[in-house]
Amino acid sequence: MQTTEIIKKFQLNEQDTGSSQVQIALMSSRISNLTTHFKTHKTDKHSRYGLLKIIKQRQKLLNYLKKRDRKNYYDLIKELNIRDK
């Protein structure tokens, strides 16, 4: 999915491009792209480090969203097929 499509799908209003939901959705897209990249490039250590940083940042945003708005958190988890801890 393209970046603009993701933003339009998860934005809260027309001006929204940086809310937690949009950021989490964009990070999830990058994570899925990197995991497919690692299927062919198994020894790419630098990108793996970047992937771990993105995963940690997404987890922080998910924790923030869970504390702030549980309904949106659970809707987003379901929409993105992210497992809940």
Side-chain angles (χ1 to χ4, degrees):
M1 204 182 273
Q2 296 292 346
T3 303
T4 54
E5 294 172 359
I6 293 171
I7 291 172
K8 285 182 182 180
K9 185 174 181 179
F10 292 99
Q11 66 188 15
L12 300 175
N13 56 41
E14 299 231 354
Q15 302 296 322
D16 179 25
T17 57
S19 67
S20 298
Q21 291 91 332
V22 172
Q23 290 182 41
I24 292 168
L26 289 172
M27 286 180 198
S28 297
S29 173
R30 287 184 64 199
I31 288 169
S32 66
N33 288 340
L34 281 172
T35 53
T36 57
H37 168 79
F38 289 128
K39 290 180 182 174
T40 57
H41 302 93
K42 297 183 188 311
T43 59
D44 189 357
K45 303 295 182 193
H46 296 290
S47 295
R48 190 170 307 275
Y49 176 72
L51 172 68
L52 293 175
K53 284 177 62 173
I54 294 169
I55 290 172
K56 185 64 177 174
Q57 187 176 9
R58 182 181 73 173
Q59 187 60 46
K60 287 180 182 180
L61 280 172
L62 282 168
N63 289 338
Y64 168 76
L65 188 62
K66 187 175 184 178
K67 288 178 188 175
R68 190 159 184 248
D69 190 0
R70 282 197 183 260
K71 183 187 179 308
N72 281 340
Y73 169 77
Y74 287 116
D75 292 342
L76 187 67
I77 292 282
K78 187 175 181 181
E79 182 77 26
L80 294 174
N81 294 324
I82 301 173
R83 65 183 178 116
D84 186 21
K85 285 188 172 181

